[in-house]
Amino acid sequence: MNEAVIATEVALEVKNSDIFYGDFKAVLNLSMAYHHREITALIGPSGCGKSTLLRSLNRMNDLIPGTKITGEYLFQGKNIYDSDVDPVQVRRWIGMVFQKPNPFPKTIYENVAWGARINGYQGDLEELVVTSIQRVALWDEVKDKLHKPALALSGGQQQRLCIARTIAVKPEIVLMDEPTSALDPISTAKIEDLLDELKKTYTIIIVTHNMQQAGRVSDKAAFMLNGVLEEFGPTDQIFFNPKNPKTEAYISGRFG
Amino acid sequence: MNDLEFQPRQVARKSLGNLWKAIFIAATLLGVLSLATLLYTIVDETFGLVALEFTTPPEELALVPNKAIEDHTSVELAAVVRQALEDGVGTLTPGIVSNYETLQAKPLEQWPKADILDMIYTDILEIEVQETFGLVESLFQKDRITIAVAEEYPDATLIFRSWMSGDFLTGDQSSLVLNAGIRSAIFGTLWTIIIAILFAFPIGVGAAIYLQEYAGDTRLNRFIQTNIYNLAGVPSIIYGMLGLALFVRALEPLTSGEMFGGVDPVTANGRTILSAGLTLGILILPVIIINAQEAFKAIPNSLRYSAYGVGATRWQMIWHHLLPASFDRVLTGTVFAVSRAIGETAPVVVIGASTFLTLDPTGPFSKFTVLPMQIYTWTARPEAGFKNAAGAAILILLILLVALNLSAILYRNHLRKTKEASS
Amino acid sequence: MSLPAIHVQLRKKHRPLESVIHGFLFFCAGFSILITTGIILTLGFDALRFFTNDGADLWSFFTGTVWEPQIERFGILPLLNATLMTSLIAMLVAGPVGLAIGIYLAEYANRKTSGILKPILEILAGIPTVVYGYFAVTAVTPWLQATLGVDLVEFYNVFSAGLVMGILIIPLIASMAEDALAAVPRSLRQAGYAMGATKLEVSLQITLPAAASGIVAALVLGLSRAIGETMIVALAAGAGSKFTFNPFQGAETMTGHIVRISGGDISYQSVDYDSLFAIALLLFFITLTLNFFSRKIIEHFREVYE
């Protein structure tokens, strides 16, 4: 990882955001920017607000009644919470991979093709499905059973399929909510390898509980505690030279 | 953002979404509307204008002043009849009256009020319901109705009638719709339901305890469970056929009361309260079992373990802990099943509920009718007025059902509150 | 050193009361088998007696197009046809409407709205069927006659009965469909939304197919309810068997026929009486088969998500 922050283009920027669930304030006055084609890891103890923040980045929080979000979320120069913005389109550009693999109860092919189809893909759908599956290094394992149910795959394969499904709609940003926490170490390693490959094309923001994982895969890391962004910087700096004593305490395993 | 490879057609998809949402809402409103229309129809039929025709106007009767004819006592009505005979009002002759008295084997003064009233209506006033009108029509188009009635039935009088009334509720059965009451049907309903509960509640709860607390995962127990689910889906008319073959016919000596004496063996048959009660009991048994099982399932295992932990036997655990803790749910589940039994019609028709009863049921071996049966026979009759009476009977049936369910809910909430207060 | 002796009795204790109770409870549960046996035996016995009559044999029972007990013609087809017609009309109403309500409740309605709608559906489901029959003849039939013309629509007609039966079955299908949809894991919906799907696309293309077997089970059970439903057809569909495909004519269904004949004064020794049991037996097997499949489908559905 680079020692110095290289100024890259900003893919998504959060400005002065508070997030509430009913009366509970989950995230407090948070501002941060995610850079183009970088992997940003959000770390912190359970309940620190990192998953809440992640779900706010593509308006998935809209689906949870009682959520209120203030501040600005600038994507392509536009606040995604503006009243004239269609959340459906936001999510089409900012995709998400979830904690537990959640393939649709359809065939493997349909899982990947569905998102592209509803979004009106103009190219060769079959080719798109194949390249998407190839990009997540799943092709050899499923090429003979594309029209078999996706639920028959192993957990690790399902999760890679979910990633393939997400990139098939060609998003700009991919959000990942602890994508390997339900997987075994071998499947986890495969997905971590995949992330390195994917960041060539996509901006990735990943929530993880696994410190080693954050260290291995991310370019930048953000440490959150009790809804507050305590420290944000290059991963090496956060891990080896944290400026904030709370970050240091967390990294060295004193809580969380 | 420029999207070359994709044509997301946002607008089209969004409007398609809105269209379908509107369809879903419309379907839901249709459901609500159906209920509203149904209730509206019943209320509309229960109250409204009635075009009556009589050959003798009621004013010619020697009624007690300022008293509606229905409010007279038997003795007063008998006096009215005697006076009419003397005055030569109506077509009634002393001969007819004495014939009736011989039939009833008692003098006019001792007849049930409804019978004298029937005689006054049919033989003196010769009253006839020509046409009835709905409540809404009666309220908002009274002028039109008045004109139409005057044209079609020049001799008719137009009165506003509430078909549901105290007399209707407490009155005897009558072939005259104006005079008909549903007391014996209400009694019949109460009797059959009590028998159904006495039969089905203990067995149902017992079966649920067995299946939930005792039964291991054996083939027999699984079969019993599947069988109960299947029974819950058997059409009620099949239970009626079972009741007809088993209780009415095969067990006739028992269900007619012959075995116990005290009934006339010549006229006694198995079409009694007891047969109906047992049939309805069997009908609701699977529902009671399934609901009670759900109630027991809702009790956390920690309660069972804590009882076993201090050395309780299985039955001690059930009797002292499981049943008290689940009683509120068992109760509401049973009330739900009983509500179903109260409204059941097909099985009681098949078993042979009487379409006309002169006596109230007095015990398990009485012939009977029930509220839904009364509604069925009246609804099926084409003459004017009977649908209105059926509407009134439905209103009473629905009020009964709502009251039953409401009191069960209130009692349950009361139980829960005391449970919370004591814990 | 020896420990102070305490008297501990660990041997199995004979508990007669526990055994008696256990036995009684087993009898209660086993009673349900007696009921099923009773149904099959009583229906079967009288049905058998029916088929030993002249004029009644299995072949003509299942293929005959005339049901006229007076002239000893016992062909079930007119009754079966009327049953299927009313049920089909009922399902054409209750299927789409019930499903749409189920989708609305599971996917669209907020807590407050469904808090109002569900009790309404429960009331609708709790109203006795004879009241629906009343509704059919006092409101729906006159309305049909007024809109479509008295020449087309007979007073007693299959269409009105089917329509009202559809309303009766709506709550059943709506609540079962809602249960099936609600059982689809939320993560699937989220995955759909995260790919830029609209609510409709998620509801119809993700949730609905995922709940398909539960919904099929609801439809099968609804059909079974319709076939066994009695009072609505007894009041509204007409008396007297008639082999017709015109829904605006009257035609007696299997259940309607049983109710009309058994409700009258009928001799226990007549062929008419026995014939009712043959009809009931057929009805029993049809509904039993449908219910069985509905349960099987639901069990399979549970396996997928548990």
Side-chain angles (χ1 to χ4, degrees), chain C residues 123-148:
Chain C
I123 294 174
L124 210 50
I127 290 177
T129 58
V130 68
V131 178
Y132 281 94
Y134 176 84
F135 181 54
V137 288
T138 49
V140 177
T141 301
W143 172 71
L144 281 176
Q145 285 190 320
T147 36
L148 299 175

Side-chain angles (χ1 to χ4, degrees), chain B residues 13 227 233 249 313 315 387, chain C residues 18 32 36 134 196 201 273 291:
Chain B
R13 284 162 69 199
N227 183 51
R249 226 177 65 198
T313 64
W315 178 247
K387 295 228 168 37
Chain C
E18 291 279 323
S32 64
T36 310
Y134 176 84
E201 286 158 352
Y273 177 81
N291 294 347

Side-chain angles (χ1 to χ4, degrees), chain B residues 106-367:
Chain B
K106 49 191 166 190
L108 198 55
E109 282 72 14
Q110 289 167 25
W111 286 16
K113 181 178 139 189
D115 289 348
I116 316 180
L117 211 52
D118 272 2
M119 197 169 75
I120 295 176
Y121 280 159
T122 41
D123 295 327
I124 302 180
L125 300 178
E126 292 182 61
I127 215 163
E128 214 174 311
V129 179
Q130 293 295 2
E131 198 171 344
T132 63
F133 301 90
L135 175 63
V136 174
E137 266 189 300
S138 303
L139 290 180
F140 298 110
Q141 301 178 8
K142 198 175 170 191
D143 297 340
R144 188 186 61 76
I145 293 174
T146 316
I147 294 166
V149 167
E151 217 163 85
E152 209 164 329
Y153 316 104
D155 302 328
T157 316
L158 206 56
I159 58 155
F160 188 88
R161 180 178 167 97
S162 162
W163 292 85
M164 190 176 70
S165 64
D167 286 318
F168 180 72
L169 200 63
T170 58
D172 290 305
Q173 290 210 322
S174 165
S175 53
L176 259 190
V177 70
L178 288 175
N179 208 4
I182 54 168
R183 190 189 65 240
S184 54
I186 292 178
F187 279 129
T189 289
L190 293 180
W191 270 106
T192 47
I193 289 308
I194 286 169
I195 288 175
I197 295 173
L198 287 179
F199 171 78
F201 184 71
I203 296 186
V205 175
I209 293 174
Y210 176 79
L211 290 168
Q212 218 51 47
E213 304 297 324
Y214 285 80
D217 189 25
T218 65
R219 190 177 287 206
L220 174 68
N221 291 331
R222 277 201 304 271
F223 177 69
I224 292 177
Q225 185 74 69
T226 311
N227 183 51
I228 287 168
Y229 282 125
N230 284 334
L231 280 179
V234 170
S236 58
I237 193 167
I238 301 284
Y239 286 99
M241 298 298 280
L242 174 69
L244 175 63
L246 190 65
F247 299 128
V248 176
R249 226 177 65 198
L251 299 177
E252 186 175 337
L254 173 78
T255 51
S256 65
E258 239 184 289
M259 253 166 73
F260 310 98
V263 289
D264 183 354
V266 181
T267 56
N269 65 37
R271 304 186 158 190
T272 55
I273 296 253
L274 184 61
S275 293
L278 290 176
T279 306
L280 291 181
I282 285 184
L283 173 82
I284 58 172
L285 187 62
V287 189
I288 290 186
I289 296 175
I290 292 168
N291 285 340
Q293 275 187 280
E294 292 300 322
F296 298 147
K297 269 183 209 163
I299 301 299
N301 266 334
S302 57
L303 182 85
R304 296 180 179 86
Y305 296 151
S306 53
Y308 289 141
V310 293
T313 64
R314 200 189 308 239
W315 178 247
Q316 284 166 336
M317 181 280 289
I318 291 168
W319 185 253
H320 294 287
H321 298 280
L322 184 77
L323 287 180
S326 57
F327 182 70
D328 50 348
R329 285 172 196 269
V330 174
L331 179 87
T332 35
T334 305
V335 166
F336 176 78
V338 168
S339 306
R340 201 186 136 185
I342 291 177
E344 274 300 346
T345 318
V348 284
V349 179
V350 171
I351 287 174
S354 312
T355 42
F356 193 79
L357 263 190
T358 44
L359 290 171
D360 285 344
T362 51
F365 307 120
S366 303
K367 294 195 191 348

